[in-house]
Amino acid sequence: QVVLVESGGGLVQAGGSLRLACAASGRTFSSYAMGWFRQAPGKEREFVAAITWISGSTNYADSVKGRFTISRDNAENTVTLQMNSLKPEDTAVYYCAAGRLRSRATEHYNYWGQGTQVTVSS
């Protein structure tokens, strides 16, 4: 069984920073890609960033490019999302996901965490 557990969410003022972490357990993740998605109230879940476990190749949503950085620690089976210059529109529940493709589409991810709330005040 694959388990993904997010941590690091919270309340921050606009312009501030937060660091999210996703701890993965249950199987070997070397052939997987890891993604971060977010969902604001009344909106669909949207892609934020993704990374390939082995190569470390990344891609980002245009809305976060230059502000967010995704990285992974192979030894610790952990993926992090460093979020800088946060804006009120970044407010959402953030989800970690694992799948076979480094994709922007939710349907390409097989495993999901429970989510962590990020709130950015203006």
Side-chain angles (χ1 to χ4, degrees), residues 9-81:
L11 173 65
V12 65
Q13 288 188 334
S17 298
L18 281 175
R19 185 178 180 89
L20 305 183
C22 174
S25 61
R27 66 182 302 151
T28 301
F29 287 88
S30 60
S31 60
Y32 278 77
M34 302 295 293
W36 285 97
F37 291 77
R38 65 187 182 187
Q39 189 166 18
K43 295 188 177 182
E44 292 187 354
R45 192 167 298 189
E46 65 174 5
F47 171 77
V48 175
I51 187 167
T52 303
W53 202 270
I54 294 179
S55 68
S57 299
T58 61
N59 57 331
Y60 296 91
D62 288 344
S63 59
V64 306
K65 199 172 295 183
R67 299 188 297 124
F68 291 11
T69 302
I70 188 172
S71 61
R72 86 272 189 251
D73 184 328
N74 291 0
E76 297 293 327
N77 268 6
T78 301
V79 176
T80 59
L81 185 68

